[in-house]
Amino acid sequence: MSTELPESAVPSPTGSSESPSVPSRRTFIATSTAVGGAVVAGAVIRGTSLVGQEEATAAEGPPSSRVSLTVNGTRRTVTVDNRTSMLDLLREHLGLTGSKKGCNAGACGACTVLVDGRRVNSCLTLAVRLEGAEVTTIEGLSAGDQLHPLQQAFIDEDAFQCGYCTPGQILSGVGCIQEGHTGSPEEIREWMSGNICRCGCYVKIVRAVEQIAGRK
């Protein structure tokens, strides 16, 4: 059982010079607890407000932009997250899955497309930079049932195996021919060195490009 006496029953030390206005231990503890509680409550209220603001900001969504471009001869206008790559725009927004996502770092060339006639790694290009551009993917090379000459050459030369890299190889080959970098097998290999074929069909790929370049 506690033997602590009520504060009023505790006798003052004899000869003490303490002023009666000095708060007692209990008064000090009670006051400190009340002040501390008020501080914590204020912090909680402010914290709730900040959380609410963060949630409201998040609910607004990431910044987006409206982009108009021509894809395979058709004018398209889309609204995309500013972080969206051209590859994801083609595959996820436009349903053009011929361009493949290989390394997603610009190292394999499986995602190669033509932008205004030039070869581009679509995984490294932001979609918001395509305003007014003309994009050609593997789906846009053929004319209906009539294959592009290089597509047919790949079949004739058996220039593929698994086929995963083939769309990028063909688009890169078309770009290489248009750029005039087909003077020799060595030049073709050099200018298409950014397109990797894990099946090792490089010899036949070069032959296919040579075949079409020789007809120009």
Side-chain angles (χ1 to χ4, degrees), residues 88-109:
D88 286 338
L89 169 66
L90 295 172
R91 292 180 59 85
E92 307 299 332
H93 294 261
L94 303 182
L96 300 172
T97 57
S99 303
K100 297 298 187 283
K101 182 176 286 191
C103 65
N104 207 32
C108 72

Side-chain angles (χ1 to χ4, degrees), residues 26 46 61 96 111 194 205:
R26 292 194 179 195
R46 288 194 301 273
L96 300 172
C111 67
I205 290 172

Side-chain angles (χ1 to χ4, degrees), residues 67-78 80 85-99 113-117 122 127 130-142 171:
V67 181
S68 294
L69 66 162
T70 301
V71 181
N72 298 330
T74 302
R75 191 69 174 174
R76 308 295 291 267
T77 299
V78 293
V80 294
S85 68
M86 183 187 354
L87 179 59
D88 286 338
L89 169 66
L90 295 172
R91 292 180 59 85
E92 307 299 332
H93 294 261
L94 303 182
L96 300 172
T97 57
S99 303
V113 299
L114 300 179
V115 178
D116 296 330
S122 59
L130 298 175
E131 180 63 36
E134 293 191 11
V135 178
T136 302
T137 71
I138 192 68
E139 292 91 343
L141 277 185
S142 61
L171 266 300

Side-chain angles (χ1 to χ4, degrees), residues 24-213:
S24 66
R25 179 172 62 84
R26 292 194 179 195
T27 303
F28 175 78
I29 293 174
T31 303
S32 299
T33 301
V35 172
V39 171
V40 171
V44 169
I45 293 172
R46 288 194 301 273
T48 301
S49 176
L50 290 175
V51 169
Q53 292 176 2
E54 292 174 355
E55 291 178 348
T57 301
E60 294 175 358
S64 59
S65 297
R66 191 174 180 84
V67 181
S68 294
L69 66 162
T70 301
V71 181
N72 298 330
T74 302
R75 191 69 174 174
R76 308 295 291 267
T77 299
V78 293
T79 299
V80 294
D81 183 327
N82 288 348
R83 300 165 295 181
T84 301
S85 68
M86 183 187 354
L87 179 59
D88 286 338
L89 169 66
L90 295 172
R91 292 180 59 85
E92 307 299 332
H93 294 261
L94 303 182
L96 300 172
T97 57
S99 303
K100 297 298 187 283
K101 182 176 286 191
C103 65
N104 207 32
C108 72
C111 67
T112 303
V113 299
L114 300 179
V115 178
D116 296 330
R118 299 183 64 83
R119 294 176 285 172
V120 169
N121 287 327
S122 59
C123 72
L124 295 183
T125 305
L126 289 175
V128 293
R129 299 185 60 188
L130 298 175
E131 180 63 36
E134 293 191 11
V135 178
T136 302
T137 71
I138 192 68
E139 292 91 343
L141 277 185
S142 61
D145 294 333
Q146 182 65 43
L147 294 178
H148 184 279
L150 189 56
Q151 289 176 307
Q152 186 62 54
F154 264 65
I155 295 173
D156 296 340
E157 296 292 340
D158 195 21
F160 53 87
Q161 188 168 324
C162 77
Y164 194 83
C165 74
T166 304
Q169 296 280 3
I170 292 175
L171 266 300
S172 185
V174 170
C176 191
I177 294 169
Q178 291 176 350
E179 294 161 14
H181 299 304
T182 57
S184 66
E186 292 73 23
E187 185 177 13
I188 293 172
R189 291 191 189 97
E190 174 66 25
W191 286 90
M192 290 188 63
S193 59
N195 291 79
I196 297 174
C197 175
R198 291 172 175 81
C199 300
C201 297
Y202 296 112
V203 173
K204 295 180 179 180
I205 290 172
V206 171
R207 286 178 184 168
V209 175
E210 278 187 303
Q211 180 187 135
I212 304 307

